Amino acid sequence: MNNLFNNGTKKEYRKLFGFTFGQISFGSFLIALISGVFLAIPYDVTKPFDSISLMLLSNPAGVLFRNIHYWSSQIFLVFTLLHLYDHFFLSTEKNVKKSVWLRLTISIFFTFFILLSGFILKGDIEGLQAKRIFTSLFESIPIIGKNLGYILLGGESDHQILYVNHIATAAIFLFIVIVEHAKTYWPRISVIAYLLIPSVVTGYIFPPSLFIGNEKVIKGPWYFVGLQEILHWLYYPIIVVFGVILLFVLIYYLQRFSEKYSYFTKKILLILFFIYSVFSIVGYFFRGENWQFVFPWNNPYFSKSFNNPINNIKSAFAADSLQLNVPVVLGHREGCLTCHGNIKGFSPAHNPNAIGCYSCHSGNPFSLNKKAAHKGIILIPGNISDAKQSCGGPQCHSQITERINTTLMTTLTGMIAVDKFVFGESNGLNEFYHVDNLGYSQADTHLRNLCVSCHLGGEKKQYGPINELSRGGGCNACHLEYDKNSLNELKKFNEEKEEGFLKGEFKFSVHPSLSLTKNNNHCFGCHSRSGRISTNYEGWHETQLKPQDVFGKKGFRVLQDERVFEKKSADIHYEKGMLCVDCHTSYEIMGDGNFYLHKEDQVKIQCVDCHLKDSPKTKKLSDFDNESLKISELRKTNDTSRIYLTVSASDIPLVNTYYSSGNSYIIKKQSSEKALMKPPIFQCTGTKAHKDLSCNTCHTSWSPQCITCHTNFDKNGTAIDLLTEKELKGEWIEHGKNYFADPPALGVRIIEEKNGNIKRVVDTFIPGMVLTIHKNKNSQTVSAIFKRLFAPAFSHTIVKESRSCKSCHNNPLALGYGRGKLVYQIKDSKGRWNFTPEFEISNYDGLPMDAWIGFLKESKGEVSTRVGARPFTVDEQKKILLVGACLTCHDENSSLIKQSLTDFESLLNKRTSKCILPNWY
């Protein structure tokens, strides 16, 4: 390092192929200058982005000059820096006049300015971002900054001043300084000839980029990303401005320093250059979306480059005419539509005439060569992995694609939390997880084997409609619709592919549409598993029968996965023609941006939001948020005269409801039929006895229940990893039996409300985890884990009629004892309840296999898949059974029983000697 800038070690400038770095720099500058003159002919400064995109599609000569202009400029910058290093190396600044050295120092600024201004003049999202950054840097300079920024860069949306400075002010100044410094008006012709070759060849192999705005990562030119990286970490950008000014001052004063201080200054400049180079390398190659550190091969910034030399060369000569009419879509030329402009089947909002092909499918819209145009194409857009790039573009659904990553249907955090808790791999049920972060522990492998296919992050990789076997698919999971025509064309495509005729030449003429959900089929694939919500809603209960067992029989349904379901009573809302989305809002389904632990936390809609018991919360159309307003427009429910109901728990408007004359109404999204939503009756809301009961406690007709499950791990088996779709060594196997469609058990949920109040709710529960897990240990199969955890459930089997009083107060299943005989016996003027279970007693905890709690016993240990959920205490059981004792004699529809709902204690005090109460009373 001590000899790095030693004036005595070198007497000549270094050379490359016989030319000095200065000569190469001068030659490349002239090439850029001349090619820029030709490039100015098709370039329109009033619409720069459009003129360049049209040039790429229809002007091969323009493409040639653009490539030459770009790469000769890059060569000019590189060799200018090398030439500057030579000056420092030889200490030649001592031999230059002060006025000349001043102009040379200023020319360094103009060198970077002319390249950066050219980058900005592309007019694309990268150029506009760079202009904003530099405008803000100038504006941070006190007093003169704003005016100086305008003089150099012009207005925010006006490129005229910047264009003049680029082609005239900076170019002329640099030419004068270079001529003065080189002492010649023209470099050697051989230099220009040699430099043209790499400029042309490199231009076709690596053409300069043009970004539309759908990209996940936006960066500046390679010499600028280091500054971007520094600005990201600095709180005060003015530091950069003063740092650059100080840098130029040091360079100017180099010739005035003594040899000692000159050497020291150059050493500092060299160190700063290396530091900046590190920032540039990190920023360009390793900085990804949201400033995350990623490796280049995982960096989406590089996926947008079209670096296929053959295709790039072909695309440059693909246009037949300079007058080619290429449509303008969303502010840019859409070359895709020159081939795909006649495809039908789209919904209006997603018609290519409105949003083009590129918005969804990406690719290269600035090429008419097929292979080049399809480079980087997304064949099936809408998966979570590309949603930000496709559905979440800046002019599309960017807010939703951000929120969708927080929804439970994407994270599966509740499912994972419960599974890990059951396996003993976590200490609580309220820990956050994400399915993408699953490892290969026993719990994680269990999930990978059996559970996690139903999450939105799963990739849709095959063309076709959403059906019962569909899993994942991101936005497609809810919004992809195939009609008859698109299905017929897909069938033809698959037939040709299967017969070997298809060689990439199949031309689709009908596209499936993307629209708001019009039926429940999209929900069915995932929600027919686990809680069986979709099947429950339609009145289907899963059995253990095989398809051959029910062939030709009525009342059964065989799903595509060959599970057999038996017909039961359907939900009243389904029978009335309501869809899932008639109740569940977009902010529930697609998330509201917050992370939630379990489904009941994310779901905000409540029965009382529509079936009013008090004065409702309402909104006018003018108060809607943008998303709700857009949905109401698409659903055609946007009536300015209406007063709309809102979700009381979140203030989100229910766009298909309204409130009028004290009544609430719903507009069904499938049929557009209007219906009155009746308020709950007095027995539901006006009595002391039922004040803690949830609506579904009494109105759930049945719930799917499975008990005595057994899970074991076969280390010699193989299973498919549902996340990677690869074969996994070892297999978790579940054996279940005793599928029931019975009313659910009842229990208590303790809920802490937003205002800090504690609320007690009696709710419905089903067996969530009543299972034995056997694991291999040291080649021996040992019984490792037994769990009896019930889960809160909204089974979506609501009926109009309430369940009977006896079905709760005299029913062992409702009380959590399990199935069996619960009998009230009177002997010797004493009443006693007796329970005889139907199922065998577990050796693990002494309870019947379908029970949640022991008969008139307190619960012990872990009892639920939720914190704050539990079976009834002994005191609560006694209160319930006390009423049950009365019901053994008194008809539940009698006036006395109805009166007991509001004043049970006074009735007890008036009882006669014929009333024999339980022995504990």
Side-chain angles (χ1 to χ4, degrees):
M1 182 63 108
N2 290 335
N3 295 322
L4 193 54
F5 296 109
N6 190 328
N7 190 29
T9 59
K10 292 283 183 182
K11 295 183 179 180
E12 294 183 354
Y13 291 119
R14 289 174 296 170
K15 297 181 178 181
L16 182 66
F17 301 113
F19 306 115
T20 66
F21 292 164
Q23 290 171 328
I24 296 174
S25 177
F26 190 11
S28 58
F29 175 77
L30 276 181
I31 293 173
L33 199 64
I34 296 170
S35 60
V37 172
F38 286 100
L39 189 59
I41 298 172
Y43 181 78
D44 185 349
V45 71
T46 62
K47 42 183 180 180
F49 180 75
D50 182 64
S51 63
I52 294 177
S53 60
L54 184 59
M55 181 197 307
L56 293 174
L57 286 162
S58 60
N59 192 340
V63 173
L64 172 64
F65 283 111
R66 181 173 183 256
N67 293 346
I68 293 173
H69 183 70
Y70 175 82
W71 280 106
S72 59
S73 300
Q74 309 306 304
I75 295 172
F76 166 63
L77 176 60
V78 170
F79 281 92
T80 296
L81 293 174
L82 290 173
H83 184 58
L84 180 64
Y85 178 81
D86 265 358
H87 269 291
F88 289 169
F89 189 83
L90 299 173
S91 296
T92 53
E93 71 275 4
K94 304 293 184 182
N95 305 325
V96 180
K97 291 181 180 181
K98 292 181 180 180
S99 58
V100 175
W101 184 249
L102 174 62
R103 288 190 288 274
L104 286 171
T105 303
I106 296 174
S107 72
I108 298 173
F109 168 79
F110 277 99
T111 297
F112 282 96
F113 174 79
I114 198 168
L115 266 84
L116 188 63
S117 59
F119 182 84
I120 294 172
L121 287 170
K122 293 189 303 175
D124 66 353
I125 189 68
E126 279 191 332
L128 294 174
Q129 180 75 354
K131 186 175 183 179
R132 292 189 194 102
I133 292 173
F134 272 88
T135 299
S136 65
L137 283 175
F138 278 114
E139 290 179 349
S140 67
I141 302 174
I143 304 175
I144 66 170
K146 190 171 184 178
N147 291 331
L148 182 61
Y150 184 80
I151 291 171
L152 291 172
L153 302 175
E156 181 177 356
S157 58
D158 180 16
H159 284 52
Q160 188 66 55
I161 293 176
L162 182 66
Y163 183 61
V164 171
N165 287 332
H166 177 74
I167 66 170
T169 309
I172 293 171
F173 178 82
L174 282 175
F175 183 77
I176 292 171
V177 171
I178 292 172
V179 167
E180 180 184 42
H181 178 60
K183 298 181 176 58
T184 178
Y185 289 98
W186 194 265
R188 291 159 58 182
I189 299 298
S190 55
V191 175
I192 296 177
Y194 282 130
L195 288 173
L196 271 174
I197 297 173
S199 297
V200 173
V201 173
T202 309
Y204 281 125
I205 297 177
F206 302 104
S209 62
L210 192 66
F211 287 83
I212 291 178
N214 275 18
E215 294 72 27
K216 294 182 180 180
V217 183
I218 301 297
K219 298 184 181 182
W222 60 270
Y223 48 84
F224 175 53
V225 289
L227 184 60
Q228 283 182 299
E229 192 76 12
I230 293 170
L231 286 170
H232 174 72
W233 300 107
L234 285 179
Y235 188 76
Y236 299 102
I238 188 64
I239 296 174
V240 171
V241 177
F242 286 130
V244 172
I245 294 173
L246 178 61
L247 187 67
F248 283 110
V249 170
L250 284 175
I251 293 174
Y252 173 70
Y253 276 97
L254 270 176
Q255 65 171 189
R256 301 188 180 189
F257 290 157
S258 65
E259 184 176 342
K260 177 181 178 182
Y261 285 112
S262 176
Y263 165 75
F264 181 72
T265 302
K266 292 174 183 177
K267 188 175 181 179
I268 290 176
L269 292 174
L270 187 62
I271 292 171
L272 290 175
F273 175 79
F274 278 113
I275 293 174
Y276 184 80
S277 297
V278 172
F279 275 110
S280 298
I281 292 171
V282 171
Y284 194 81
F285 291 102
F286 295 94
R287 190 62 64 201
E289 187 181 6
N290 297 325
W291 235 256
Q292 294 179 336
F293 186 89
V294 295
F295 289 104
W297 47 88
N298 294 327
N299 197 333
Y301 176 76
F302 298 104
S303 69
K304 298 305 296 179
S305 59
F306 311 109
N307 298 331
N308 185 314
I310 297 176
N311 291 336
N312 291 337
I313 293 171
K314 285 182 179 179
S315 65
F317 298 98
D320 296 324
S321 169
L322 293 178
Q323 305 301 318
L324 183 67
N325 183 23
V326 182
V328 176
V329 179
L330 297 179
H332 70 269
R333 298 285 174 169
E334 186 83 17
C336 313
L337 294 179
T338 60
C339 293
H340 302 291
N342 296 322
I343 296 182
K344 302 176 182 178
F346 301 94
S347 59
H350 294 92
N351 193 300
N353 294 324
I355 65 170
C357 302
Y358 176 82
S359 296
C360 296
H361 290 279
S362 197
N364 181 4
F366 304 130
S367 175
L368 299 182
N369 174 265
K370 180 178 178 180
K371 290 186 177 179
H374 289 179
K375 175 70 174 179
I377 195 172
I378 303 171
L379 291 176
I380 303 179
N383 286 308
I384 295 295
S385 58
D386 61 64
K388 289 183 180 180
Q389 187 176 343
S390 52
C391 305
Q395 294 171 296
C396 299
H397 312 287
S398 56
Q399 291 183 338
I400 293 176
T401 53
E402 288 291 336
R403 287 166 23 210
I404 201 72
N405 290 307
T406 67
T407 179
L408 283 168
M409 291 196 294
T410 300
T411 67
L412 296 188
T413 182
M415 178 192 297
I416 298 169
V418 171
D419 206 70
K420 280 184 166 292
F421 178 73
V422 168
F423 273 76
E425 294 182 8
S426 73
N427 296 320
L429 291 161
N430 286 352
E431 297 182 20
F432 282 104
Y433 298 94
H434 197 291
V435 65
D436 290 344
N437 299 325
L438 282 180
Y440 290 92
S441 67
Q442 291 176 333
D444 291 354
T445 306
H446 178 253
L447 290 163
R448 284 175 176 272
N449 276 192
L450 301 171
C451 308
V452 296
S453 61
C454 290
H455 74 104
L456 287 180
E459 298 279 319
K460 179 173 175 56
K461 299 179 180 180
Q462 301 294 329
Y463 298 134
I466 303 300
N467 57 37
E468 295 174 0
L469 298 178
S470 297
R471 304 289 185 269
C475 306
N476 300 298
C478 295
H479 298 290
L480 183 67
E481 294 278 0
Y482 274 76
D483 64 8
K484 180 180 179 181
N485 293 327
S486 53
L487 282 172
N488 288 338
E489 191 169 71
L490 177 63
K491 181 181 178 182
K492 183 178 179 182
F493 168 80
N494 288 330
E495 288 173 351
E496 290 193 17
K497 184 177 180 181
E498 186 176 345
E499 293 172 7
F501 298 142
L502 188 64
K503 297 181 180 178
E505 299 299 325
F506 190 93
K507 291 186 178 181
F508 286 96
S509 60
V510 183
H511 195 287
S513 67
L514 291 166
S515 61
L516 295 177
T517 302
K518 300 175 183 176
N519 54 59
N520 291 332
N521 295 342
H522 292 76
C523 309
F524 200 93
C526 284
H527 291 287
S528 63
R529 305 290 305 184
S530 190
R532 277 74 171 173
I533 292 172
S534 288
T535 50
N536 300 348
Y537 189 61
E538 297 181 16
W540 295 104
H541 166 59
E542 185 171 353
T543 70
Q544 291 184 301
L545 298 171
K546 302 299 181 184
Q548 58 268 25
D549 298 333
V550 298
F551 183 76
K553 294 183 180 180
K554 294 183 179 180
F556 291 93
R557 176 180 178 179
V558 181
L559 301 189
Q560 286 181 262
D561 59 8
E562 297 192 340
R563 287 182 297 148
V564 178
F565 284 73
E566 183 180 4
K567 187 63 178 177
K568 299 291 182 182
S569 61
D571 192 293
I572 183 65
H573 301 88
Y574 175 77
E575 291 180 340
K576 295 294 184 180
M578 290 178 61
L579 304 176
C580 303
V581 293
D582 278 319
C583 291
H584 296 292
T585 70
S586 65
Y587 288 96
E588 287 182 340
I589 298 170
M590 296 183 290
D592 60 5
N594 298 311
F595 285 97
Y596 294 101
L597 289 165
H598 302 286
K599 61 183 178 183
E600 63 271 15
D601 302 320
Q602 182 167 305
V603 173
K604 303 300 182 184
I605 189 73
Q606 302 176 66
C607 303
V608 293
D609 289 332
C610 294
H611 299 283
L612 306 176
K613 65 177 183 179
D614 298 308
S615 297
K617 293 173 63 178
T618 60
K619 275 188 177 182
K620 293 184 177 180
L621 190 69
S622 58
D623 298 323
F624 277 21
D625 60 280
N626 290 334
E627 185 172 314
S628 299
L629 183 62
K630 185 64 177 178
I631 293 173
S632 66
E633 290 174 356
L634 293 172
R635 294 287 188 185
K636 300 187 184 332
T637 60
N638 53 329
D639 189 335
T640 56
S641 66
R642 285 178 180 158
I643 298 175
Y644 293 82
L645 299 175
T646 67
V647 179
S648 57
S650 65
D651 207 34
I652 298 298
L654 295 168
V655 301
N656 59 324
T657 68
Y658 63 96
Y659 184 67
S660 177
S661 303
N663 293 317
S664 60
Y665 298 87
I666 188 170
I667 303 171
K668 300 171 187 177
K669 292 179 179 177
Q670 188 173 45
S671 64
S672 298
E673 175 190 354
K674 298 177 184 178
L676 172 68
M677 296 184 287
K678 297 179 181 179
I681 61 176
F682 174 80
Q683 285 87 335
C684 293
T685 59
T687 66
K688 179 181 177 181
H690 290 165
K691 65 181 179 66
D692 291 342
L693 270 64
S694 68
C695 298
N696 55 302
T697 299
C698 292
H699 290 278
T700 297
S701 58
W702 59 274
S703 294
Q705 300 171 45
C706 171
I707 61 170
T708 63
C709 292
H710 178 85
T711 305
N712 69 288
F713 181 73
D714 180 6
K715 67 176 183 178
N716 297 317
T718 56
I720 298 298
D721 188 327
L722 297 177
L723 289 181
T724 65
E725 297 184 1
K726 296 180 180 178
E727 195 172 86
L728 196 65
K729 183 66 175 176
E731 179 183 16
W732 282 100
I733 303 171
E734 285 189 345
H735 308 278
K737 60 180 180 179
N738 301 312
Y739 288 7
F740 294 100
D742 290 333
L746 304 181
V748 175
R749 293 179 59 208
I750 304 299
I751 301 172
E752 183 176 353
E753 298 181 310
K754 289 183 178 180
N755 57 12
N757 293 336
I758 302 300
K759 182 179 180 181
R760 176 184 180 272
V761 178
V762 176
D763 215 336
T764 54
F765 291 80
I766 61 174
M769 288 280 184
V770 182
L771 80 166
T772 307
I773 301 175
H774 283 77
K775 301 184 292 185
N776 290 333
K777 185 176 181 180
N778 299 327
S779 301
Q780 299 293 322
T781 300
V782 296
S783 179
I785 295 174
F786 173 79
K787 295 290 182 181
R788 186 185 297 277
L789 306 177
F790 273 53
F794 194 107
S795 297
H796 292 74
T797 57
I798 300 299
V799 290
K800 180 180 178 180
E801 300 78 12
S802 170
R803 66 191 294 176
S804 68
C805 302
K806 286 187 176 181
S807 71
C808 291
H809 292 274
N810 299 61
N811 185 353
L813 183 60
L815 273 74
Y817 305 150
R819 293 159 185 80
K821 292 183 179 180
L822 181 63
V823 180
Y824 186 62
Q825 296 176 331
I826 299 175
K827 188 177 182 180
D828 300 328
S829 299
K830 293 182 180 180
R832 181 182 299 275
W833 282 102
N834 292 298
F835 172 61
T836 304
E838 178 181 328
F839 281 89
E840 61 182 307
I841 304 300
S842 169
N843 294 326
Y844 294 98
D845 61 2
L847 295 180
M849 288 306 298
D850 62 339
W852 189 15
I853 186 70
F855 175 61
L856 289 175
K857 292 182 179 179
E858 296 284 359
S859 60
K860 296 180 181 180
E862 303 158 354
V863 292
S864 178
T865 61
R866 302 290 191 273
V867 173
R870 59 170 177 78
F872 295 121
T873 64
V874 170
D875 286 341
E876 290 167 337
Q877 293 174 51
K878 287 181 177 180
K879 289 179 181 179
I880 296 168
L881 289 173
L882 176 60
V883 177
C886 299
L887 289 170
T888 58
C889 295
H890 296 280
D891 186 277
E892 59 186 40
N893 294 315
S894 65
S895 59
L896 185 142
I897 292 298
K898 290 181 179 179
Q899 184 181 352
S900 71
L901 293 173
T902 55
D903 196 6
F904 184 68
E905 291 297 330
S906 64
L907 289 177
L908 281 179
N909 294 331
K910 296 176 183 179
R911 71 184 187 279
T912 67
S913 58
K914 294 181 180 180
C915 294
I916 308 299
L917 299 182
N919 57 334
W920 62 75
Y921 187 79

